Amino acid sequence: MINEVIVQRLDELIGDYDTPFFNYLLYSYGLSLNECELIVGELKSDVNSGRIIPENIVETLDDYFIKRVTGLEKQEKLEFLRNLVRKDSDFYVKYLKEYDLSDDEINLICSRVESKIHEENISDFQIKRYLEYYFSNSIKQASYIRELERIVGRNYDTLLIVNMKSKYPILKDSDIVQIIFNIRGEVLEAREFKNGIKEEFRRQCLLKSEDKKARCRVKLSEFVEGSGDSFSKLIKFKRLTKAEGDYIVSQIEDDISEGLIQPDEITGAFITKRFNDYNERK
């Protein structure tokens, strides 16, 4: 019943495609009469099927027109992109030919620019600039990938990786693999590494180490400060003073700073074991 009322209101607004409101839509968005009829038909279909229940049919119809226009703009820009990368186009010959990229490399670059068009509706000028940027960066990308492969070695066993794992003992093999994966993704996104891939790898190892330590501290704090009086009860149960409890926590914090504890290791059982170890030494 509600759907029928909405469609009736829509018919009143559109009439026989000759009302003042329809003429406003027709001329405001620069669409053909056929395209406007398709948009109205799509909205009626969505209302009748219950896909949408507009609170304001005027605003909803306006939104449908905007979506249609944006979609047409994107199609035109995709066609503009395809024309630019044709090997006989003036733009290609003047700005891109010198890089001598393979068809696969060009297709990969085009897919990135297409994503920019779909997600950000970038302008024609930006399309050209992105093409120039990605083409010029393609040479650097090949160099970056080779450098990354040298870091990985045969099986993530190069001296650089060994040194990073020694310097940041909290890093596990899976962390190193993830860091390499992240850098590879950034290379494929045409990021420029002014200090080189090795330095970027060192930087990301440091950041990953600090991130894991921070997560350890948060979890420890949750057990010590965020568990009500459970921690105080544990101290009493183990027949320790508050000062001794604080000392045990400080030891755990020191181990975290040294990178000797993983975030998933900090559990209630872990805290209890540290108290037991202290009592045994005592």
Side-chain angles (χ1 to χ4, degrees), residues 265-280:
E265 292 177 359
I266 300 181
T267 62
F270 170 83
I271 302 294
T272 301
K273 184 177 183 305
R274 294 297 289 254
F275 272 74
N276 291 339
D277 292 344
Y278 177 84
N279 267 336
E280 288 178 7

Side-chain angles (χ1 to χ4, degrees), residues 97-121:
K97 184 177 180 179
E98 63 179 295
Y99 299 107
D100 193 28
L101 301 186
S102 68
D103 289 343
D104 287 342
E105 290 172 315
I106 292 173
N107 289 336
L108 179 59
I109 289 172
C110 284
S111 69
R112 293 182 192 138
V113 181
E114 286 173 2
S115 296
K116 295 284 185 183
I117 292 171
H118 286 299
E119 295 169 10
E120 303 173 29
N121 198 20

Side-chain angles (χ1 to χ4, degrees), residues 23-223:
N23 287 330
Y24 151 75
L25 294 173
L26 180 64
Y27 295 110
S28 293
Y29 294 104
L31 299 174
S32 67
L33 179 60
N34 182 57
E35 287 171 326
C36 293
E37 290 176 350
L38 289 174
I39 295 170
V40 173
E42 180 186 0
L43 177 54
K44 282 185 178 180
S45 175
D46 288 345
V47 171
N48 283 325
S49 67
R51 183 169 175 268
I52 64 167
I53 302 177
E55 294 183 5
N56 186 317
I57 191 62
V58 173
E59 290 182 359
T60 302
L61 185 56
D62 212 28
D63 289 341
Y64 269 61
F65 269 76
I66 291 171
K67 182 175 71 174
R68 176 68 172 175
V69 169
T70 301
L72 291 173
E73 285 178 354
K74 290 180 179 179
Q75 288 301 318
E76 290 174 359
K77 289 172 182 177
L78 292 171
E79 184 64 27
F80 178 69
L81 169 63
R82 285 189 285 271
N83 288 333
L84 287 177
V85 296
R86 280 178 31 234
K87 293 188 177 180
D88 60 350
S89 75
D90 291 340
F91 181 81
Y92 182 89
V93 171
K94 187 173 182 179
Y95 298 105
L96 308 179
K97 184 177 180 179
E98 63 179 295
Y99 299 107
D100 193 28
L101 301 186
S102 68
D103 289 343
D104 287 342
E105 290 172 315
I106 292 173
N107 289 336
L108 179 59
I109 289 172
C110 284
S111 69
R112 293 182 192 138
V113 181
E114 286 173 2
S115 296
K116 295 284 185 183
I117 292 171
H118 286 299
E119 295 169 10
E120 303 173 29
N121 198 20
I122 58 176
S123 67
D124 290 353
F125 174 80
Q126 289 174 304
I127 290 172
K128 290 182 177 180
R129 296 293 77 80
Y130 272 117
L131 280 175
E132 290 183 68
Y133 174 74
Y134 286 138
F135 267 74
S136 65
N137 232 43
S138 61
I139 307 301
K140 294 179 182 176
Q141 285 179 319
S143 174
Y144 290 152
I145 291 294
R146 286 194 297 271
E147 192 173 353
L148 198 58
E149 288 173 349
R150 285 194 291 271
I151 291 174
V152 172
R154 292 184 178 180
N155 190 30
Y156 293 87
D157 55 359
T158 60
L159 182 60
L160 178 59
I161 289 178
V162 171
N163 287 341
M164 288 299 99
K165 289 168 68 175
S166 174
K167 186 175 182 179
Y168 307 113
I170 198 171
L171 296 181
K172 299 192 293 186
D173 290 343
S174 58
D175 296 320
I176 299 295
V177 172
Q178 185 62 50
I179 288 169
I180 294 293
F181 180 81
N182 292 342
I183 295 175
R184 188 182 299 274
E186 292 173 355
V187 170
L188 295 177
E189 284 298 316
R191 179 186 160 190
E192 184 175 3
F193 299 89
K194 294 182 179 180
N195 297 320
I197 293 295
K198 281 187 178 180
E199 192 58 38
E200 178 63 20
F201 176 70
R202 293 188 181 98
R203 188 184 75 86
Q204 291 207 22
C205 285
L206 168 62
L207 293 177
K208 185 67 174 178
S209 173
E210 292 304 311
D211 174 68
K212 294 185 76 173
K213 289 178 184 179
R215 284 159 50 201
C216 286
R217 294 185 181 103
V218 168
K219 291 189 71 174
L220 179 61
S221 176
E222 288 173 352
F223 278 107

